[in-house]
Amino acid sequence: MSTEVESMDVEPTTPAVAAPATTDEDEEELGNLMELVDQAAETTDPASKIPTLQKILKDEEYNGPKAIQLKERAVYDLTRAYCQSKQYSEVIPLLKETPLFNQVTKAKCAKIVRAVLDLVQREAPLELEMQADICRNIRAWCQREKRTFLRQRVEAKLASILVEQELFGQALDLIDPLLVELKKLDDKQLLVEAHLMEAKIHFGLKNKPKSKAALTASRTAANSIYVSPSLQATIDSMSGILYTSEGEYDTAHSYFLEAFEQLDQLGDKEGAVPCLKYMMLCRILDSLTKALNLSAKGGVGAKSSKSDVDISGMISGRQGVKYAGSDIEAMTAIAGAASRRSLQEFESVLQKYPKELKEDLLIDHHLHVLQEQLLESNLIRIIEPYSCVEISHIASLMEMPVAVIEKKLSQMILDGKFKGILDQGKGQLIVYEDSEKDRAMEKSLEVIANMDNIVSSLFERSKALRTMMI
């Protein structure tokens, strides 16, 4: 039995060859690159670490994977150091003269260039001219090297910078040929961003129909691919801005709410605060539009109750605590002044919070419209009982200068808000009662106009026949 067991023994296996222990000689040689990297990391002053980082990038002896990784990190650190020390002009030579871009693949090069652009935009957001110069130089380099995909992304970035500079004409000249190329290549991701940029450009040019068409095209392209939450929030925010400009405040509020919730989940407080301000603005405008019977075109009505314009508690406690600050305080103060219909309080809020209210073009424009609507509504309420009233009396009740009130009344008369004349010699406003329209007279004038058209048409035909007979 034992012999059978012995015969069933497993065949002897060859002993496994032990892997040779890794030694320092097998590892990639980095020379003094690591020492330079450590030296740059220990330096806190941005200007002092620039020479060290430049030495790392000028090294052409070590081109292994780890060396390339260290050099890539050095490019980012050097860009950040230039921006922090305000040596913005050095960023362009960095991208032109660095040997690293000739040592990596095209895809890696594109990644580094795009990362540098994002880093510059983040570190120096106000240096728009410098950012535009960098984009133009990279675009020219891409055209020489025939790097189409990188050029397209740089052009999209340049267009966004031109929009921030309010150079909408140049941005449109750049984005139109880019859209033609992207449609041929069917690059959906960049097509979404380009159409969104086109919508912003046309909105800046006051061409709302084309802006809406471009935004619709952006949404259509976005439906077929995955869109990042931040980009989707930008699309929703742009939709809200367009609806706000058209006076559809309730719809605009819903779009701003969608954008705010996405940015809130991402923890992007800088992007969420403007959306929250726009939400409050839409709620204020919508409430006063209904209370004052104001149409989107600015028609004025006098009857309203205070309960109709109660805008308190428009943000929840959690949002109020998380986003508390001067921006929310400014919009809350505007809401209070608007609900009380106090122009003096409204103007004092504008003077108290100029940065929060006047630097944002959307809020500044609509608050100016709101101020004009409140002024017109209060004037209508004051002059309604009178057929003749002194302008100085109206100015004393409004607590405003006589010249301002006189100018506004003349404008309202010309706009047809009420019928009347200004007697500047006596300093009086004479208000006429609205007379009922004579329907018979209107119909008679329409008949005469139609007969005139018919006679003119017959005369032209007879003239043509006479010419043919001759």
Side-chain angles (χ1 to χ4, degrees):
M1 187 69 180
S2 60
T3 57
E4 292 180 3
V5 174
E6 290 174 1
S7 63
M8 294 175 62
D9 288 340
V10 182
E11 294 182 2
T13 58
T14 57
V17 179
T22 58
T23 62
D24 293 338
E25 295 178 355
D26 297 324
E27 293 181 355
E28 180 182 335
E29 294 184 3
L30 298 176
N32 61 344
L33 282 182
M34 285 301 301
E35 297 178 2
L36 293 173
V37 170
D38 294 337
Q39 182 181 347
E42 292 172 357
T43 309
T44 56
D45 183 26
S48 301
K49 66 170 65 174
I50 289 176
T52 307
L53 294 170
Q54 288 175 339
K55 289 180 182 178
I56 297 174
L57 293 177
K58 289 179 180 177
D59 179 79
E60 298 183 6
E61 182 178 355
Y62 303 101
N63 299 321
K66 289 186 179 179
I68 293 295
Q69 188 176 2
L70 290 176
K71 291 178 181 179
E72 180 184 351
R73 193 188 310 164
V75 170
Y76 303 147
D77 291 341
L78 186 55
T79 303
R80 191 178 292 107
Y82 281 143
C83 292
Q84 290 174 355
S85 59
K86 296 185 179 180
Q87 300 181 33
Y88 304 117
S89 59
E90 299 295 328
V91 178
I92 296 175
L94 169 65
L95 295 174
K96 281 185 175 182
E97 301 169 3
T98 302
L100 175 66
F101 296 116
N102 298 323
Q103 301 168 0
V104 297
T105 62
K106 288 186 176 182
K108 188 75 169 178
C109 178
K111 172 182 172 290
I112 296 173
V113 170
R114 292 171 64 186
V116 167
L117 286 177
D118 293 336
L119 188 61
V120 169
Q121 193 170 18
R122 187 167 59 251
E123 293 290 334
L126 301 179
E127 299 294 330
L128 298 176
E129 191 60 39
M130 179 268 297
Q131 295 177 25
D133 288 339
I134 293 175
C135 289
R136 290 188 183 99
N137 279 276
I138 297 175
R139 181 190 178 203
W141 176 77
C142 291
Q143 288 174 340
R144 290 195 303 269
E145 299 292 328
K146 297 182 180 179
R147 301 196 177 190
T148 305
F149 293 101
L150 178 58
R151 174 184 58 79
Q152 291 171 350
R153 279 151 182 80
V154 171
E155 286 179 350
K157 177 72 74 175
L158 178 58
S160 67
I161 295 171
L162 291 174
V163 169
E164 291 185 34
Q165 291 180 298
E166 298 184 5
L167 301 174
F168 301 111
Q170 297 181 24
L172 187 61
D173 293 338
L174 190 66
I175 208 74
D176 281 344
L178 177 61
L179 283 170
V180 174
E181 292 183 32
L182 294 176
K183 288 175 183 177
K184 291 179 181 178
L185 296 172
D186 201 25
D187 188 347
K188 294 289 187 182
Q189 183 67 36
L190 192 54
L191 196 60
V192 172
E193 299 176 12
H195 276 303
L196 180 59
M197 191 56 56
E198 184 189 14
K200 292 181 180 180
I201 293 170
H202 285 300
F203 183 77
L205 293 172
K206 309 299 182 185
N207 194 337
K208 293 178 185 177
K210 284 192 175 182
S211 181
K212 291 187 72 173
L215 187 62
T216 303
S218 179
R219 283 189 174 278
T220 303
N223 288 335
S224 59
I225 60 169
Y226 169 76
V227 176
S228 63
S230 58
L231 181 57
Q232 184 62 49
T234 307
I235 295 174
D236 290 334
S237 179
M238 189 64 205
S239 300
I241 291 173
L242 281 172
Y243 279 108
T244 303
S245 66
E246 293 178 351
E248 299 182 23
Y249 304 120
D250 196 24
T251 307
H253 179 274
S254 64
Y255 276 111
F256 286 132
L257 179 60
E258 289 286 338
F260 170 75
E261 288 178 346
Q262 294 182 62
L263 294 171
D264 185 36
Q265 291 176 359
L266 292 173
D268 185 2
K269 186 175 180 180
E270 186 178 352
V273 168
C275 290
L276 185 57
K277 290 170 65 178
Y278 296 156
M279 287 165 55
M280 298 176 73
L281 176 68
C282 290
R283 189 68 64 83
I284 294 169
L285 293 172
D286 187 49
S287 299
L288 286 201
T289 296
K290 294 174 181 177
L292 300 177
N293 193 22
L294 300 171
S295 68
K297 296 181 180 179
V300 179
K303 296 181 180 179
S304 64
S305 62
K306 190 173 181 180
S307 60
D308 294 333
V309 289
D310 186 11
I311 326 172
S312 59
M314 62 174 62
I315 58 175
S316 65
R318 181 180 65 84
Q319 294 171 348
V321 172
K322 185 175 181 180
Y323 296 99
S326 58
D327 293 286
I328 305 304
E329 290 176 4
M331 295 306 297
T332 305
I334 285 291
S339 64
R340 287 184 285 273
R341 275 356 126 66
S342 173
L343 282 170
Q344 291 77 19
E345 185 178 351
F346 192 92
E347 291 176 356
S348 65
V349 171
L350 292 179
Q351 293 175 0
K352 185 178 179 181
Y353 301 98
K355 180 181 178 182
E356 292 80 2
L357 299 177
K358 293 188 177 181
E359 289 188 0
D360 192 306
L361 296 180
L362 181 70
I363 292 178
D364 181 47
H365 169 71
H366 285 282
L367 287 184
H368 177 70
V369 173
L370 177 62
Q371 186 177 13
E372 293 295 315
Q373 291 174 342
L374 285 175
L375 178 58
E376 291 180 2
S377 174
N378 288 346
L379 286 173
I380 289 286
R381 294 173 66 186
I382 289 174
I383 68 176
E384 189 176 16
Y386 299 100
S387 59
C388 181
V389 58
E390 292 186 357
I391 300 175
S392 58
H393 177 64
I394 301 174
S396 64
L397 293 176
M398 295 286 294
E399 298 181 3
M400 296 180 69
V402 175
V404 175
I405 296 297
E406 185 176 348
K407 181 179 179 181
K408 188 61 183 177
L409 287 172
S410 63
Q411 181 183 346
M412 291 174 66
I413 292 172
L414 293 173
D415 291 343
K417 300 294 175 66
F418 67 91
K419 294 183 179 180
I421 59 171
L422 288 172
D423 189 343
Q424 292 181 324
K426 297 180 180 180
Q428 295 176 344
L429 169 67
I430 302 173
V431 184
Y432 299 140
E433 293 185 2
D434 291 335
S435 56
E436 295 183 2
K437 295 182 179 179
D438 191 345
R439 304 292 297 177
M441 176 66 73
E442 292 180 358
K443 293 293 183 182
S444 300
L445 291 174
E446 289 180 7
V447 169
I448 294 173
N450 291 334
M451 289 182 63
D452 179 63
N453 292 334
I454 293 171
V455 171
S456 299
S457 176
L458 291 173
F459 177 77
E460 292 294 332
R461 289 186 182 183
S462 62
K463 186 177 181 181
L465 288 173
R466 195 177 299 116
T467 304
M468 291 174 61
M469 292 174 63
I470 295 173

